[in-house]
Amino acid sequence: TIRKSKASRLDASYLNTAHLVLDGSEFNHLDLSYGRIGLMEMNNTQIGFSLDLTHCQVNDFKQTGGTSLKSLGGLKLDGSNINLPQ
């Protein structure tokens, strides 16, 4: 769980966890590439420039508030199985 954090860049590539919670945080660049995540929750989290989910396998994804990932210009999903909310 990462709560109320502010970072220019967070590199958590190859992260292997059952449950990842990003709550009320702000990142310019977030790298979760090649990760294996059971449940990923993003609650009121802002992403400024890029989110890298290349080859990241996520069983379940939930998002409330924060940055609209579908409109994020730096979103990388190559080889990922993540389903973004509508």
PDB file of all heavy atoms in Angstrom, residues 30 40 42 45-47 50-51 53 61-63 65-77 82-85:
ATOM      1  N   LEU A  30       5.170   6.248 -13.661  1.00  0.00           N
ATOM      2  CA  LEU A  30       4.968   5.050 -12.853  1.00  0.00           C
ATOM      3  C   LEU A  30       5.244   3.836 -13.729  1.00  0.00           C
ATOM      4  O   LEU A  30       4.624   3.668 -14.782  1.00  0.00           O
ATOM      5  CB  LEU A  30       3.531   5.001 -12.316  1.00  0.00           C
ATOM      6  CG  LEU A  30       3.128   3.785 -11.492  1.00  0.00           C
ATOM      7  CD1 LEU A  30       4.031   3.629 -10.266  1.00  0.00           C
ATOM      8  CD2 LEU A  30       1.676   3.907 -11.055  1.00  0.00           C
ATOM      9  N   MET A  40      -5.120  -4.900  -8.176  1.00  0.00           N
ATOM     10  CA  MET A  40      -4.515  -3.560  -8.222  1.00  0.00           C
ATOM     11  C   MET A  40      -5.626  -2.530  -8.044  1.00  0.00           C
ATOM     12  O   MET A  40      -6.589  -2.528  -8.798  1.00  0.00           O
ATOM     13  CB  MET A  40      -3.807  -3.341  -9.546  1.00  0.00           C
ATOM     14  CG  MET A  40      -3.157  -2.001  -9.693  1.00  0.00           C
ATOM     15  SD  MET A  40      -2.224  -1.948 -11.236  1.00  0.00           S
ATOM     16  CE  MET A  40      -1.889  -0.216 -11.335  1.00  0.00           C
ATOM     17  N   MET A  42      -6.372   1.630  -7.620  1.00  0.00           N
ATOM     18  CA  MET A  42      -5.897   3.010  -7.718  1.00  0.00           C
ATOM     19  C   MET A  42      -7.028   3.914  -7.254  1.00  0.00           C
ATOM     20  O   MET A  42      -8.056   4.012  -7.917  1.00  0.00           O
ATOM     21  CB  MET A  42      -5.490   3.354  -9.146  1.00  0.00           C
ATOM     22  CG  MET A  42      -4.254   2.621  -9.612  1.00  0.00           C
ATOM     23  SD  MET A  42      -3.784   3.010 -11.313  1.00  0.00           S
ATOM     24  CE  MET A  42      -3.340   4.723 -11.155  1.00  0.00           C
ATOM     25  N   THR A  45      -5.536   8.576  -7.426  1.00  0.00           N
ATOM     26  CA  THR A  45      -4.114   8.666  -7.750  1.00  0.00           C
ATOM     27  C   THR A  45      -3.945   9.397  -9.077  1.00  0.00           C
ATOM     28  O   THR A  45      -4.616   9.084 -10.055  1.00  0.00           O
ATOM     29  CB  THR A  45      -3.489   7.261  -7.814  1.00  0.00           C
ATOM     30  OG1 THR A  45      -3.553   6.694  -6.505  1.00  0.00           O
ATOM     31  CG2 THR A  45      -2.055   7.308  -8.262  1.00  0.00           C
ATOM     32  N   GLN A  46      -3.045  10.360  -9.090  1.00  0.00           N
ATOM     33  CA  GLN A  46      -2.768  11.175 -10.272  1.00  0.00           C
ATOM     34  C   GLN A  46      -1.472  10.703 -10.930  1.00  0.00           C
ATOM     35  O   GLN A  46      -0.470  10.514 -10.242  1.00  0.00           O
ATOM     36  CB  GLN A  46      -2.631  12.650  -9.886  1.00  0.00           C
ATOM     37  CG  GLN A  46      -3.850  13.238  -9.216  1.00  0.00           C
ATOM     38  CD  GLN A  46      -5.046  13.318 -10.149  1.00  0.00           C
ATOM     39  OE1 GLN A  46      -4.919  13.543 -11.338  1.00  0.00           O
ATOM     40  NE2 GLN A  46      -6.222  13.114  -9.590  1.00  0.00           N
ATOM     41  N   ILE A  47      -1.503  10.549 -12.249  1.00  0.00           N
ATOM     42  CA  ILE A  47      -0.306  10.198 -13.009  1.00  0.00           C
ATOM     43  C   ILE A  47      -0.114  11.289 -14.039  1.00  0.00           C
ATOM     44  O   ILE A  47      -0.982  11.525 -14.888  1.00  0.00           O
ATOM     45  CB  ILE A  47      -0.445   8.822 -13.669  1.00  0.00           C
ATOM     46  CG1 ILE A  47      -0.641   7.776 -12.574  1.00  0.00           C
ATOM     47  CG2 ILE A  47       0.780   8.516 -14.522  1.00  0.00           C
ATOM     48  CD1 ILE A  47      -0.915   6.398 -13.050  1.00  0.00           C
ATOM     49  N   SER A  50       3.375   9.347 -17.612  1.00  0.00           N
ATOM     50  CA  SER A  50       3.388   7.999 -18.181  1.00  0.00           C
ATOM     51  C   SER A  50       3.115   6.922 -17.140  1.00  0.00           C
ATOM     52  O   SER A  50       3.486   7.044 -15.976  1.00  0.00           O
ATOM     53  CB  SER A  50       4.726   7.718 -18.863  1.00  0.00           C
ATOM     54  OG  SER A  50       5.762   7.620 -17.911  1.00  0.00           O
ATOM     55  N   LEU A  51       2.454   5.873 -17.626  1.00  0.00           N
ATOM     56  CA  LEU A  51       2.201   4.662 -16.851  1.00  0.00           C
ATOM     57  C   LEU A  51       2.605   3.500 -17.739  1.00  0.00           C
ATOM     58  O   LEU A  51       2.032   3.300 -18.810  1.00  0.00           O
ATOM     59  CB  LEU A  51       0.722   4.547 -16.466  1.00  0.00           C
ATOM     60  CG  LEU A  51       0.285   3.244 -15.807  1.00  0.00           C
ATOM     61  CD1 LEU A  51       1.045   3.012 -14.499  1.00  0.00           C
ATOM     62  CD2 LEU A  51      -1.207   3.247 -15.559  1.00  0.00           C
ATOM     63  N   LEU A  53       2.737  -0.369 -18.177  1.00  0.00           N
ATOM     64  CA  LEU A  53       2.231  -1.667 -17.745  1.00  0.00           C
ATOM     65  C   LEU A  53       2.619  -2.752 -18.756  1.00  0.00           C
ATOM     66  O   LEU A  53       1.951  -3.775 -18.870  1.00  0.00           O
ATOM     67  CB  LEU A  53       0.706  -1.613 -17.596  1.00  0.00           C
ATOM     68  CG  LEU A  53       0.192  -0.736 -16.462  1.00  0.00           C
ATOM     69  CD1 LEU A  53      -1.293  -0.473 -16.612  1.00  0.00           C
ATOM     70  CD2 LEU A  53       0.483  -1.366 -15.125  1.00  0.00           C
ATOM     71  N   PHE A  61      -8.476  -5.270 -11.589  1.00  0.00           N
ATOM     72  CA  PHE A  61      -8.087  -3.860 -11.518  1.00  0.00           C
ATOM     73  C   PHE A  61      -9.291  -3.023 -11.131  1.00  0.00           C
ATOM     74  O   PHE A  61     -10.361  -3.155 -11.733  1.00  0.00           O
ATOM     75  CB  PHE A  61      -7.545  -3.402 -12.876  1.00  0.00           C
ATOM     76  CG  PHE A  61      -7.170  -1.954 -12.916  1.00  0.00           C
ATOM     77  CD1 PHE A  61      -6.000  -1.514 -12.350  1.00  0.00           C
ATOM     78  CD2 PHE A  61      -7.996  -1.030 -13.527  1.00  0.00           C
ATOM     79  CE1 PHE A  61      -5.645  -0.164 -12.393  1.00  0.00           C
ATOM     80  CE2 PHE A  61      -7.659   0.315 -13.572  1.00  0.00           C
ATOM     81  CZ  PHE A  61      -6.485   0.733 -12.996  1.00  0.00           C
ATOM     82  N   LYS A  62      -9.115  -2.152 -10.131  1.00  0.00           N
ATOM     83  CA  LYS A  62     -10.175  -1.246  -9.703  1.00  0.00           C
ATOM     84  C   LYS A  62      -9.612   0.159  -9.599  1.00  0.00           C
ATOM     85  O   LYS A  62      -8.528   0.358  -9.068  1.00  0.00           O
ATOM     86  CB  LYS A  62     -10.733  -1.667  -8.343  1.00  0.00           C
ATOM     87  CG  LYS A  62     -11.392  -3.025  -8.345  1.00  0.00           C
ATOM     88  CD  LYS A  62     -11.870  -3.410  -6.981  1.00  0.00           C
ATOM     89  CE  LYS A  62     -12.470  -4.803  -7.005  1.00  0.00           C
ATOM     90  NZ  LYS A  62     -12.841  -5.273  -5.692  1.00  0.00           N
ATOM     91  N   GLN A  63     -10.367   1.136 -10.108  1.00  0.00           N
ATOM     92  CA  GLN A  63      -9.930   2.534 -10.045  1.00  0.00           C
ATOM     93  C   GLN A  63     -11.100   3.410  -9.641  1.00  0.00           C
ATOM     94  O   GLN A  63     -12.190   3.292 -10.192  1.00  0.00           O
ATOM     95  CB  GLN A  63      -9.383   2.994 -11.390  1.00  0.00           C
ATOM     96  CG  GLN A  63      -8.901   4.429 -11.356  1.00  0.00           C
ATOM     97  CD  GLN A  63      -8.435   4.931 -12.709  1.00  0.00           C
ATOM     98  OE1 GLN A  63      -8.733   4.364 -13.740  1.00  0.00           O
ATOM     99  NE2 GLN A  63      -7.694   6.009 -12.697  1.00  0.00           N
ATOM    100  N   GLY A  65     -11.666   7.610  -9.030  1.00  0.00           N
ATOM    101  CA  GLY A  65     -11.090   8.954  -9.098  1.00  0.00           C
ATOM    102  C   GLY A  65      -9.722   8.962  -9.749  1.00  0.00           C
ATOM    103  O   GLY A  65      -9.276   7.977 -10.324  1.00  0.00           O
ATOM    104  N   GLY A  66      -9.073  10.099  -9.680  1.00  0.00           N
ATOM    105  CA  GLY A  66      -7.714  10.224 -10.211  1.00  0.00           C
ATOM    106  C   GLY A  66      -7.686  10.379 -11.715  1.00  0.00           C
ATOM    107  O   GLY A  66      -8.672  10.702 -12.367  1.00  0.00           O
ATOM    108  N   THR A  67      -6.515  10.129 -12.286  1.00  0.00           N
ATOM    109  CA  THR A  67      -6.277  10.294 -13.710  1.00  0.00           C
ATOM    110  C   THR A  67      -7.044   9.267 -14.528  1.00  0.00           C
ATOM    111  O   THR A  67      -7.042   8.085 -14.210  1.00  0.00           O
ATOM    112  CB  THR A  67      -4.768  10.141 -14.008  1.00  0.00           C
ATOM    113  OG1 THR A  67      -4.055  11.153 -13.305  1.00  0.00           O
ATOM    114  CG2 THR A  67      -4.475  10.274 -15.485  1.00  0.00           C
ATOM    115  N   SER A  68      -7.680   9.723 -15.598  1.00  0.00           N
ATOM    116  CA  SER A  68      -8.325   8.812 -16.537  1.00  0.00           C
ATOM    117  C   SER A  68      -7.235   8.129 -17.351  1.00  0.00           C
ATOM    118  O   SER A  68      -6.552   8.768 -18.147  1.00  0.00           O
ATOM    119  CB  SER A  68      -9.261   9.580 -17.461  1.00  0.00           C
ATOM    120  OG  SER A  68      -9.699   8.737 -18.492  1.00  0.00           O
ATOM    121  N   LEU A  69      -7.049   6.842 -17.144  1.00  0.00           N
ATOM    122  CA  LEU A  69      -5.960   6.130 -17.809  1.00  0.00           C
ATOM    123  C   LEU A  69      -6.159   6.041 -19.309  1.00  0.00           C
ATOM    124  O   LEU A  69      -5.191   6.040 -20.068  1.00  0.00           O
ATOM    125  CB  LEU A  69      -5.806   4.737 -17.202  1.00  0.00           C
ATOM    126  CG  LEU A  69      -5.456   4.715 -15.718  1.00  0.00           C
ATOM    127  CD1 LEU A  69      -5.243   3.288 -15.250  1.00  0.00           C
ATOM    128  CD2 LEU A  69      -4.217   5.550 -15.429  1.00  0.00           C
ATOM    129  N   LYS A  70      -7.394   5.981 -19.758  1.00  0.00           N
ATOM    130  CA  LYS A  70      -7.645   5.889 -21.198  1.00  0.00           C
ATOM    131  C   LYS A  70      -7.203   7.145 -21.942  1.00  0.00           C
ATOM    132  O   LYS A  70      -6.886   7.090 -23.115  1.00  0.00           O
ATOM    133  CB  LYS A  70      -9.114   5.601 -21.462  1.00  0.00           C
ATOM    134  CG  LYS A  70      -9.480   4.185 -21.124  1.00  0.00           C
ATOM    135  CD  LYS A  70     -10.815   3.820 -21.694  1.00  0.00           C
ATOM    136  CE  LYS A  70     -11.036   2.363 -21.405  1.00  0.00           C
ATOM    137  NZ  LYS A  70     -11.784   1.681 -22.399  1.00  0.00           N
ATOM    138  N   SER A  71      -7.181   8.286 -21.270  1.00  0.00           N
ATOM    139  CA  SER A  71      -6.780   9.527 -21.931  1.00  0.00           C
ATOM    140  C   SER A  71      -5.324   9.895 -21.641  1.00  0.00           C
ATOM    141  O   SER A  71      -4.848  10.920 -22.108  1.00  0.00           O
ATOM    142  CB  SER A  71      -7.695  10.671 -21.490  1.00  0.00           C
ATOM    143  OG  SER A  71      -7.544  10.914 -20.105  1.00  0.00           O
ATOM    144  N   LEU A  72      -4.617   9.052 -20.903  1.00  0.00           N
ATOM    145  CA  LEU A  72      -3.217   9.320 -20.571  1.00  0.00           C
ATOM    146  C   LEU A  72      -2.345   9.052 -21.796  1.00  0.00           C
ATOM    147  O   LEU A  72      -2.328   7.947 -22.328  1.00  0.00           O
ATOM    148  CB  LEU A  72      -2.778   8.432 -19.404  1.00  0.00           C
ATOM    149  CG  LEU A  72      -1.376   8.645 -18.843  1.00  0.00           C
ATOM    150  CD1 LEU A  72      -1.251  10.056 -18.259  1.00  0.00           C
ATOM    151  CD2 LEU A  72      -1.080   7.620 -17.762  1.00  0.00           C
ATOM    152  N   GLY A  73      -1.630  10.067 -22.269  1.00  0.00           N
ATOM    153  CA  GLY A  73      -0.822   9.942 -23.476  1.00  0.00           C
ATOM    154  C   GLY A  73       0.318   8.952 -23.359  1.00  0.00           C
ATOM    155  O   GLY A  73       0.697   8.320 -24.329  1.00  0.00           O
ATOM    156  N   GLY A  74       0.882   8.785 -22.179  1.00  0.00           N
ATOM    157  CA  GLY A  74       2.037   7.909 -22.005  1.00  0.00           C
ATOM    158  C   GLY A  74       1.682   6.538 -21.469  1.00  0.00           C
ATOM    159  O   GLY A  74       2.469   5.925 -20.756  1.00  0.00           O
ATOM    160  N   LEU A  75       0.510   6.010 -21.819  1.00  0.00           N
ATOM    161  CA  LEU A  75       0.083   4.702 -21.332  1.00  0.00           C
ATOM    162  C   LEU A  75       0.642   3.610 -22.234  1.00  0.00           C
ATOM    163  O   LEU A  75       0.446   3.618 -23.441  1.00  0.00           O
ATOM    164  CB  LEU A  75      -1.442   4.625 -21.312  1.00  0.00           C
ATOM    165  CG  LEU A  75      -2.054   3.325 -20.817  1.00  0.00           C
ATOM    166  CD1 LEU A  75      -1.679   3.072 -19.357  1.00  0.00           C
ATOM    167  CD2 LEU A  75      -3.563   3.365 -20.976  1.00  0.00           C
ATOM    168  N   LYS A  76       1.362   2.658 -21.634  1.00  0.00           N
ATOM    169  CA  LYS A  76       1.939   1.535 -22.383  1.00  0.00           C
ATOM    170  C   LYS A  76       1.331   0.244 -21.859  1.00  0.00           C
ATOM    171  O   LYS A  76       1.472  -0.083 -20.692  1.00  0.00           O
ATOM    172  CB  LYS A  76       3.458   1.498 -22.205  1.00  0.00           C
ATOM    173  CG  LYS A  76       4.158   2.731 -22.716  1.00  0.00           C
ATOM    174  CD  LYS A  76       5.636   2.652 -22.428  1.00  0.00           C
ATOM    175  CE  LYS A  76       6.308   3.965 -22.788  1.00  0.00           C
ATOM    176  NZ  LYS A  76       7.719   3.962 -22.391  1.00  0.00           N
ATOM    177  N   LEU A  77       0.656  -0.488 -22.745  1.00  0.00           N
ATOM    178  CA  LEU A  77      -0.024  -1.720 -22.355  1.00  0.00           C
ATOM    179  C   LEU A  77       0.428  -2.935 -23.161  1.00  0.00           C
ATOM    180  O   LEU A  77      -0.194  -3.992 -23.083  1.00  0.00           O
ATOM    181  CB  LEU A  77      -1.543  -1.562 -22.535  1.00  0.00           C
ATOM    182  CG  LEU A  77      -2.233  -0.550 -21.641  1.00  0.00           C
ATOM    183  CD1 LEU A  77      -3.683  -0.359 -22.066  1.00  0.00           C
ATOM    184  CD2 LEU A  77      -2.164  -0.984 -20.199  1.00  0.00           C
ATOM    185  N   ILE A  82      -4.368  -6.233 -18.688  1.00  0.00           N
ATOM    186  CA  ILE A  82      -5.198  -5.355 -17.860  1.00  0.00           C
ATOM    187  C   ILE A  82      -6.395  -4.819 -18.649  1.00  0.00           C
ATOM    188  O   ILE A  82      -6.281  -4.464 -19.822  1.00  0.00           O
ATOM    189  CB  ILE A  82      -4.358  -4.200 -17.270  1.00  0.00           C
ATOM    190  CG1 ILE A  82      -5.115  -3.495 -16.163  1.00  0.00           C
ATOM    191  CG2 ILE A  82      -3.907  -3.244 -18.330  1.00  0.00           C
ATOM    192  CD1 ILE A  82      -4.247  -2.636 -15.290  1.00  0.00           C
ATOM    193  N   ASN A  83      -7.546  -4.820 -18.005  1.00  0.00           N
ATOM    194  CA  ASN A  83      -8.767  -4.266 -18.587  1.00  0.00           C
ATOM    195  C   ASN A  83      -9.077  -2.959 -17.874  1.00  0.00           C
ATOM    196  O   ASN A  83      -9.378  -2.965 -16.675  1.00  0.00           O
ATOM    197  CB  ASN A  83      -9.937  -5.236 -18.414  1.00  0.00           C
ATOM    198  CG  ASN A  83      -9.773  -6.479 -19.247  1.00  0.00           C
ATOM    199  OD1 ASN A  83      -9.358  -6.397 -20.383  1.00  0.00           O
ATOM    200  ND2 ASN A  83     -10.073  -7.626 -18.676  1.00  0.00           N
ATOM    201  N   LEU A  84      -8.987  -1.869 -18.602  1.00  0.00           N
ATOM    202  CA  LEU A  84      -9.252  -0.568 -18.013  1.00  0.00           C
ATOM    203  C   LEU A  84     -10.752  -0.336 -17.873  1.00  0.00           C
ATOM    204  O   LEU A  84     -11.531  -0.760 -18.722  1.00  0.00           O
ATOM    205  CB  LEU A  84      -8.647   0.534 -18.878  1.00  0.00           C
ATOM    206  CG  LEU A  84      -7.135   0.475 -19.029  1.00  0.00           C
ATOM    207  CD1 LEU A  84      -6.673   1.599 -19.948  1.00  0.00           C
ATOM    208  CD2 LEU A  84      -6.440   0.569 -17.692  1.00  0.00           C
ATOM    209  N   PRO A  85     -11.156   0.330 -16.777  1.00  0.00           N
ATOM    210  CA  PRO A  85     -12.584   0.632 -16.608  1.00  0.00           C
ATOM    211  C   PRO A  85     -13.073   1.566 -17.698  1.00  0.00           C
ATOM    212  O   PRO A  85     -12.322   2.341 -18.253  1.00  0.00           O
ATOM    213  CB  PRO A  85     -12.650   1.292 -15.234  1.00  0.00           C
ATOM    214  CG  PRO A  85     -11.270   1.571 -14.811  1.00  0.00           C
ATOM    215  CD  PRO A  85     -10.336   0.850 -15.728  1.00  0.00           C
TER     216      PRO A  85
END
